Amino acid sequence: MSGGKGVSGVGARLVRRERTMRELSGEDRAAGDPAKEAKQRIAIPLSRSSAVGAVVVTWNSVPWIEGLMALLSQASAEGFQKVVFVDTGSTDGTVALVRAKAAGSVQIIETGNVGYAAGLNVGIRAFGSDRPPFFLLLNPDITAEPGFLDRMLEEVVKHSADPIGIADPRILEPTVDGKWVVTNRRRRNLWGWPCPSQEAPGISWTEAAHGACSLIRREVIERIGLFDEDYFLYWEEIDYCLRARRAGFRVAGIDCISIRHHPGEVRDGKNAKSETGHYYFWRNQWLYAGKAYGPWLGALFVLVRLPIFLREGFRLVCEGDFHLFQRAVQGLLMGCLGQKGPAHVQSRLLVRQE
């Protein structure tokens, strides 16, 4: 009896797994109940008169797609001019799930693993010459209150005397002990100098908007162009905001609005760290320094930030993540040598219980 029960249990698990894979690949949709299928879909309201177009870059984002679709469906009373999903080489069924949930209300573009900056550019180009007044750029792993986009637009538009080119809400991210902390309102700038005090109610003038959620005015894109694809991953939004500020636009934090970002570094009470992430983060610091300040002042910028690198490296070594520290050192050295673009870093994901 026990042997039969074991075989039955294994068989049931295989059936469930096969059914899940069929659902992700879309094979079951044609044979399913149309009424039930329609109920499961999430229609995002679209309007040609909407002031906003949305771009979402995905990579193996299945756990977040349904929540993101629900968020987009309630973000604004006016909806979006268009919503573009750019998938950069997912292998977990992300594209099939977006198609299943979107009810035809989004445009899906599949690319290879071209990087985050290039993915954003692909999405923006998809609007052609019919660009909306604002672009909302999103990570898939965010949650927010209904109507958050309307509130952001209201705050940005009413500061017409001091035009805001790029804005972001307060970004809350989880720590391994379950707390949510604001990660994009720094007391000091990238050079270590104190940030200026708040100059308007509900607004903080900042160096850069957070890449998880940012609102960009069309005029910014028309004046300074698209994101720099040399970065591939990390620092591209900091570079973009610097270029916008130098072109005369303000970068603002909308402090009356908060969203939650669920980054891959912390999930389910575990600390998940990517070697690729450490490599690009520290490599691109050199890239940004050279582009922003030139060779000599750029070298000084990296030197000023060296204590941050040493502190992070010490923490990684103490926690037993020596291979991550090695990858960070490798990235810093390759940045010094001028490497840019994709680096073909062979990455593994370390998941460690805290």
Side-chain angles (χ1 to χ4, degrees), residues 276-293:
T276 302
H278 281 275
Y279 181 91
Y280 281 114
F281 182 84
W282 292 106
R283 187 204 72 171
N284 288 348
Q285 181 174 256
W286 269 110
L287 184 61
Y288 170 82
K291 288 176 178 286
Y293 306 115

mmCIF file of all heavy atoms in Angstrom, residues 276-293:
data_model
loop_
_atom_site.group_PDB
_atom_site.id
_atom_site.type_symbol
_atom_site.label_atom_id
_atom_site.label_comp_id
_atom_site.label_asym_id
_atom_site.label_seq_id
_atom_site.Cartn_x
_atom_site.Cartn_y
_atom_site.Cartn_z
ATOM 1 N N THR A 276 26.884 38.707 -11.107
ATOM 2 C CA THR A 276 26.763 39.665 -12.201
ATOM 3 C C THR A 276 26.465 41.066 -11.672
ATOM 4 O O THR A 276 27.035 42.053 -12.137
ATOM 5 C CB THR A 276 25.646 39.231 -13.165
ATOM 6 O OG1 THR A 276 25.934 37.927 -13.657
ATOM 7 C CG2 THR A 276 25.527 40.196 -14.327
ATOM 8 N N GLY A 277 25.557 41.155 -10.704
ATOM 9 C CA GLY A 277 25.202 42.450 -10.142
ATOM 10 C C GLY A 277 26.384 43.143 -9.498
ATOM 11 O O GLY A 277 26.613 44.340 -9.700
ATOM 12 N N HIS A 278 27.161 42.404 -8.704
ATOM 13 C CA HIS A 278 28.339 42.997 -8.068
ATOM 14 C C HIS A 278 29.349 43.456 -9.116
ATOM 15 O O HIS A 278 29.966 44.518 -8.980
ATOM 16 C CB HIS A 278 28.987 41.987 -7.117
ATOM 17 C CG HIS A 278 28.282 41.862 -5.804
ATOM 18 N ND1 HIS A 278 28.525 42.697 -4.749
ATOM 19 C CD2 HIS A 278 27.325 41.006 -5.386
ATOM 20 C CE1 HIS A 278 27.760 42.358 -3.723
ATOM 21 N NE2 HIS A 278 27.022 41.338 -4.088
ATOM 22 N N TYR A 279 29.517 42.656 -10.147
ATOM 23 C CA TYR A 279 30.490 43.000 -11.191
ATOM 24 C C TYR A 279 30.118 44.314 -11.869
ATOM 25 O O TYR A 279 30.927 45.247 -11.948
ATOM 26 C CB TYR A 279 30.555 41.873 -12.219
ATOM 27 C CG TYR A 279 31.552 42.121 -13.330
ATOM 28 C CD1 TYR A 279 32.867 41.691 -13.216
ATOM 29 C CD2 TYR A 279 31.174 42.794 -14.491
ATOM 30 C CE1 TYR A 279 33.787 41.922 -14.230
ATOM 31 C CE2 TYR A 279 32.086 43.028 -15.506
ATOM 32 C CZ TYR A 279 33.388 42.592 -15.372
ATOM 33 O OH TYR A 279 34.292 42.830 -16.371
ATOM 34 N N TYR A 280 28.879 44.400 -12.368
ATOM 35 C CA TYR A 280 28.482 45.592 -13.124
ATOM 36 C C TYR A 280 28.369 46.826 -12.237
ATOM 37 O O TYR A 280 28.666 47.942 -12.674
ATOM 38 C CB TYR A 280 27.155 45.347 -13.843
ATOM 39 C CG TYR A 280 27.302 44.548 -15.110
ATOM 40 C CD1 TYR A 280 26.764 43.272 -15.213
ATOM 41 C CD2 TYR A 280 27.976 45.068 -16.207
ATOM 42 C CE1 TYR A 280 26.892 42.535 -16.375
ATOM 43 C CE2 TYR A 280 28.118 44.338 -17.370
ATOM 44 C CZ TYR A 280 27.572 43.071 -17.452
ATOM 45 O OH TYR A 280 27.715 42.349 -18.604
ATOM 46 N N PHE A 281 27.933 46.653 -11.000
ATOM 47 C CA PHE A 281 27.787 47.815 -10.128
ATOM 48 C C PHE A 281 29.128 48.517 -9.937
ATOM 49 O O PHE A 281 29.220 49.747 -10.037
ATOM 50 C CB PHE A 281 27.207 47.405 -8.772
ATOM 51 C CG PHE A 281 26.995 48.569 -7.847
ATOM 52 C CD1 PHE A 281 25.843 49.328 -7.932
ATOM 53 C CD2 PHE A 281 27.952 48.924 -6.900
ATOM 54 C CE1 PHE A 281 25.648 50.423 -7.090
ATOM 55 C CE2 PHE A 281 27.766 50.008 -6.062
ATOM 56 C CZ PHE A 281 26.607 50.758 -6.157
ATOM 57 N N TRP A 282 30.173 47.741 -9.663
ATOM 58 C CA TRP A 282 31.464 48.373 -9.401
ATOM 59 C C TRP A 282 32.209 48.716 -10.679
ATOM 60 O O TRP A 282 32.931 49.713 -10.737
ATOM 61 C CB TRP A 282 32.298 47.473 -8.488
ATOM 62 C CG TRP A 282 31.691 47.394 -7.128
ATOM 63 C CD1 TRP A 282 31.010 46.343 -6.584
ATOM 64 C CD2 TRP A 282 31.653 48.439 -6.157
ATOM 65 N NE1 TRP A 282 30.554 46.660 -5.331
ATOM 66 C CE2 TRP A 282 30.939 47.949 -5.041
ATOM 67 C CE3 TRP A 282 32.154 49.745 -6.117
ATOM 68 C CZ2 TRP A 282 30.716 48.716 -3.905
ATOM 69 C CZ3 TRP A 282 31.931 50.507 -4.981
ATOM 70 C CH2 TRP A 282 31.220 49.991 -3.890
ATOM 71 N N ARG A 283 32.045 47.952 -11.744
ATOM 72 C CA ARG A 283 32.667 48.313 -13.016
ATOM 73 C C ARG A 283 32.118 49.632 -13.535
ATOM 74 O O ARG A 283 32.860 50.511 -13.987
ATOM 75 C CB ARG A 283 32.420 47.211 -14.054
ATOM 76 C CG ARG A 283 33.180 47.440 -15.356
ATOM 77 C CD ARG A 283 32.540 46.748 -16.535
ATOM 78 N NE ARG A 283 31.301 47.391 -16.963
ATOM 79 C CZ ARG A 283 30.653 47.073 -18.079
ATOM 80 N NH1 ARG A 283 31.118 46.113 -18.861
ATOM 81 N NH2 ARG A 283 29.539 47.695 -18.403
ATOM 82 N N ASN A 284 30.792 49.780 -13.466
ATOM 83 C CA ASN A 284 30.154 50.953 -14.060
ATOM 84 C C ASN A 284 30.375 52.226 -13.262
ATOM 85 O O ASN A 284 30.109 53.321 -13.748
ATOM 86 C CB ASN A 284 28.656 50.694 -14.237
ATOM 87 C CG ASN A 284 28.388 49.710 -15.359
ATOM 88 O OD1 ASN A 284 29.281 49.394 -16.145
ATOM 89 N ND2 ASN A 284 27.167 49.214 -15.436
ATOM 90 N N GLN A 285 30.872 52.099 -12.036
ATOM 91 C CA GLN A 285 31.257 53.290 -11.297
ATOM 92 C C GLN A 285 32.382 54.020 -12.029
ATOM 93 O O GLN A 285 32.372 55.243 -12.157
ATOM 94 C CB GLN A 285 31.701 52.905 -9.884
ATOM 95 C CG GLN A 285 32.096 54.079 -9.019
ATOM 96 C CD GLN A 285 32.380 53.648 -7.598
ATOM 97 O OE1 GLN A 285 31.588 53.853 -6.700
ATOM 98 N NE2 GLN A 285 33.532 53.040 -7.393
ATOM 99 N N TRP A 286 33.359 53.267 -12.539
ATOM 100 C CA TRP A 286 34.429 53.855 -13.340
ATOM 101 C C TRP A 286 33.871 54.446 -14.629
ATOM 102 O O TRP A 286 34.269 55.543 -15.050
ATOM 103 C CB TRP A 286 35.472 52.790 -13.690
ATOM 104 C CG TRP A 286 36.603 52.658 -12.727
ATOM 105 C CD1 TRP A 286 36.830 51.615 -11.878
ATOM 106 C CD2 TRP A 286 37.672 53.582 -12.515
ATOM 107 N NE1 TRP A 286 37.965 51.837 -11.147
ATOM 108 C CE2 TRP A 286 38.515 53.036 -11.522
ATOM 109 C CE3 TRP A 286 38.009 54.818 -13.068
ATOM 110 C CZ2 TRP A 286 39.661 53.675 -11.072
ATOM 111 C CZ3 TRP A 286 39.153 55.462 -12.623
ATOM 112 C CH2 TRP A 286 39.966 54.894 -11.637
ATOM 113 N N LEU A 287 32.964 53.710 -15.271
ATOM 114 C CA LEU A 287 32.389 54.171 -16.529
ATOM 115 C C LEU A 287 31.664 55.499 -16.336
ATOM 116 O O LEU A 287 31.836 56.442 -17.119
ATOM 117 C CB LEU A 287 31.432 53.104 -17.077
ATOM 118 C CG LEU A 287 30.793 53.370 -18.438
ATOM 119 C CD1 LEU A 287 31.856 53.508 -19.515
ATOM 120 C CD2 LEU A 287 29.826 52.235 -18.790
ATOM 121 N N TYR A 288 30.859 55.569 -15.280
ATOM 122 C CA TYR A 288 30.137 56.809 -14.980
ATOM 123 C C TYR A 288 31.108 57.943 -14.674
ATOM 124 O O TYR A 288 30.948 59.071 -15.162
ATOM 125 C CB TYR A 288 29.208 56.581 -13.787
ATOM 126 C CG TYR A 288 28.590 57.847 -13.243
ATOM 127 C CD1 TYR A 288 27.469 58.406 -13.844
ATOM 128 C CD2 TYR A 288 29.130 58.486 -12.124
ATOM 129 C CE1 TYR A 288 26.900 59.574 -13.349
ATOM 130 C CE2 TYR A 288 28.570 59.650 -11.625
ATOM 131 C CZ TYR A 288 27.456 60.189 -12.243
ATOM 132 O OH TYR A 288 26.904 61.346 -11.756
ATOM 133 N N ALA A 289 32.123 57.662 -13.875
ATOM 134 C CA ALA A 289 33.079 58.694 -13.476
ATOM 135 C C ALA A 289 33.765 59.304 -14.691
ATOM 136 O O ALA A 289 33.911 60.530 -14.795
ATOM 137 C CB ALA A 289 34.107 58.102 -12.516
ATOM 138 N N GLY A 290 34.188 58.448 -15.630
ATOM 139 C CA GLY A 290 34.863 58.951 -16.816
ATOM 140 C C GLY A 290 33.945 59.759 -17.714
ATOM 141 O O GLY A 290 34.328 60.814 -18.241
ATOM 142 N N LYS A 291 32.714 59.275 -17.910
ATOM 143 C CA LYS A 291 31.766 59.983 -18.765
ATOM 144 C C LYS A 291 31.326 61.303 -18.141
ATOM 145 O O LYS A 291 31.127 62.304 -18.833
ATOM 146 C CB LYS A 291 30.539 59.105 -19.030
ATOM 147 C CG LYS A 291 30.779 57.932 -19.977
ATOM 148 C CD LYS A 291 29.528 57.071 -20.094
ATOM 149 C CE LYS A 291 29.712 55.924 -21.072
ATOM 150 N NZ LYS A 291 29.710 56.356 -22.481
ATOM 151 N N ALA A 292 31.154 61.308 -16.824
ATOM 152 C CA ALA A 292 30.605 62.484 -16.156
ATOM 153 C C ALA A 292 31.652 63.557 -15.884
ATOM 154 O O ALA A 292 31.361 64.755 -15.980
ATOM 155 C CB ALA A 292 29.939 62.068 -14.841
ATOM 156 N N TYR A 293 32.885 63.142 -15.542
ATOM 157 C CA TYR A 293 33.859 64.107 -15.036
ATOM 158 C C TYR A 293 35.192 64.110 -15.772
ATOM 159 O O TYR A 293 36.059 64.929 -15.459
ATOM 160 C CB TYR A 293 34.114 63.833 -13.546
ATOM 161 C CG TYR A 293 32.857 63.793 -12.718
ATOM 162 C CD1 TYR A 293 32.442 62.617 -12.099
ATOM 163 C CD2 TYR A 293 32.066 64.928 -12.564
ATOM 164 C CE1 TYR A 293 31.282 62.571 -11.337
ATOM 165 C CE2 TYR A 293 30.900 64.895 -11.810
ATOM 166 C CZ TYR A 293 30.519 63.712 -11.201
ATOM 167 O OH TYR A 293 29.364 63.670 -10.459
#
